[in-house]
Amino acid sequence: AQSVTQPDIHITVSEGASLELRCNYSYGATPYLFWYVQSPGQGLQLLLKYFSGDTLVQGIKGFEAEFKRSQSSFNLRKPSVHWSDAAEYFCAVGATDYGQNFVFGPGTRLSVLP
Amino acid sequence: EAQVTQNPRYLITVTGKKLTVTCSQNMNHEYMSWYRQDPGLGLRQIYYSMNVEVTDKGDVPEGYKVSRKEKRNFPLILESPSPNQTSLYFCASIKGGSYNEQFFGPGTRLTVL
């Protein structure tokens, strides 16, 4: 069964600074990888996804993520953080077309200082 | 507008009083799923359904039931709620073949006293 770890429970950055949120997964085959964002009191919104092909994927809101098979990682990055990016971020891995064994990481809470 | 809806959004109840949280999607998706979200644990899958009358357990099914009599609806049933089921619940749906891109409902915050 697959698993996902997000080593950082809480990260604080200053507005305008760069951001990297870490995600490591465990899965025997090529995984389907996702990053979701959850703003306070809101549901989950898909930021980006990786299925195959180019290992650097672009998402919404200026986010990107890079799949590194050798490191079993799928880290999320943003070059310049905005105050509105304060939220909780979840990395997730899926193993089939229909979502069985879809596993989320525990989440990383991002705080942004003015 | 394509969406997943859940009702109620907030619910406070007492131990042992049966309740149902409804979930409905208007995208004609085959696959639907229920998750619970707890601090520090992320989202954990409770049950999923691949199509009408086809359901299966996720990672944390104990204390929950589901049914899928219609494609659009996937209610979550707590026959005898207990305080450890206090949580934030999300319903999600997936279009077949879209590689697990899930569309989430707004969530239901349940408190069991």
Side-chain angles (χ1 to χ4, degrees):
Chain A
Q2 63 269 41
S3 64
V4 178
T5 56
Q6 294 178 248
D8 304 304
I9 296 173
H10 183 205
I11 285 181
T12 300
V13 299
S14 297
E15 191 169 19
S18 63
L19 172 69
E20 182 170 30
L21 302 182
R22 295 183 290 164
C23 171
N24 293 96
Y25 69 90
S26 173
Y27 184 60
T30 299
Y32 304 138
L33 294 162
F34 307 82
W35 275 100
Y36 285 86
V37 60
Q38 183 181 31
S39 298
Q42 303 296 312
L44 282 82
Q45 181 182 24
L46 180 68
L47 283 175
L48 48 77
K49 59 191 177 186
Y50 171 80
F51 299 142
S52 65
D54 193 347
T55 57
L56 184 64
V57 294
Q58 302 297 321
I60 62 172
K61 304 185 179 188
F63 285 92
E64 66 177 26
E66 186 172 13
F67 171 59
K68 293 186 177 180
R69 184 188 300 275
S70 61
Q71 298 178 18
S72 297
S73 69
F74 188 56
N75 294 348
L76 182 71
R77 301 193 293 249
K78 187 170 185 178
S80 178
V81 170
H82 188 262
W83 64 266
S84 61
D85 293 324
E88 188 145 24
Y89 292 80
F90 293 95
C91 181
V93 59
T96 72
D97 282 355
Y98 280 89
Q100 298 97 309
N101 302 315
F102 194 100
V103 176
F104 282 83
T108 297
R109 185 161 63 91
L110 173 65
S111 297
V112 181
L113 299 175
Chain B
E1 179 189 357
Q3 60 182 349
V4 179
T5 58
Q6 295 178 227
N7 282 292
R9 295 288 313 280
Y10 302 90
L11 179 60
I12 301 175
T13 190
V14 295
T15 299
K17 185 177 182 181
K18 181 179 178 180
L19 67 92
T20 299
V21 183
T22 64
C23 173
S24 182
Q25 49 97 0
N26 62 1
M27 296 168 279
N28 202 37
H29 288 174
E30 292 84 2
Y31 179 94
M32 298 184 74
S33 182
W34 274 103
Y35 295 87
R36 60 177 290 173
Q37 182 182 11
D38 302 289
L41 297 177
L43 279 78
R44 294 178 292 168
Q45 191 176 53
I46 303 170
Y47 270 94
Y48 62 90
S49 169
M50 293 183 66
N51 214 323
V52 176
E53 302 291 3
V54 182
T55 64
D56 207 347
K57 298 177 181 179
D59 295 323
V60 288
E62 295 78 19
Y64 304 95
K65 286 176 58 177
V66 292
S67 69
R68 187 91 181 274
K69 294 184 176 8
E70 306 168 280
K71 198 171 187 179
R72 64 181 292 124
N73 296 323
F74 189 44
L76 179 70
I77 303 157
L78 285 72
E79 295 267 3
S80 183
S82 62
N84 64 13
Q85 293 178 297
T86 293
S87 187
L88 179 59
Y89 292 86
F90 288 101
C91 180
S93 73
I94 306 174
K95 179 181 177 181
S98 63
Y99 299 101
N100 295 11
E101 181 174 348
Q102 301 195 65
F103 294 84
F104 284 87
T108 295
R109 184 165 295 282
L110 172 65
T111 301
V112 183
L113 301 175

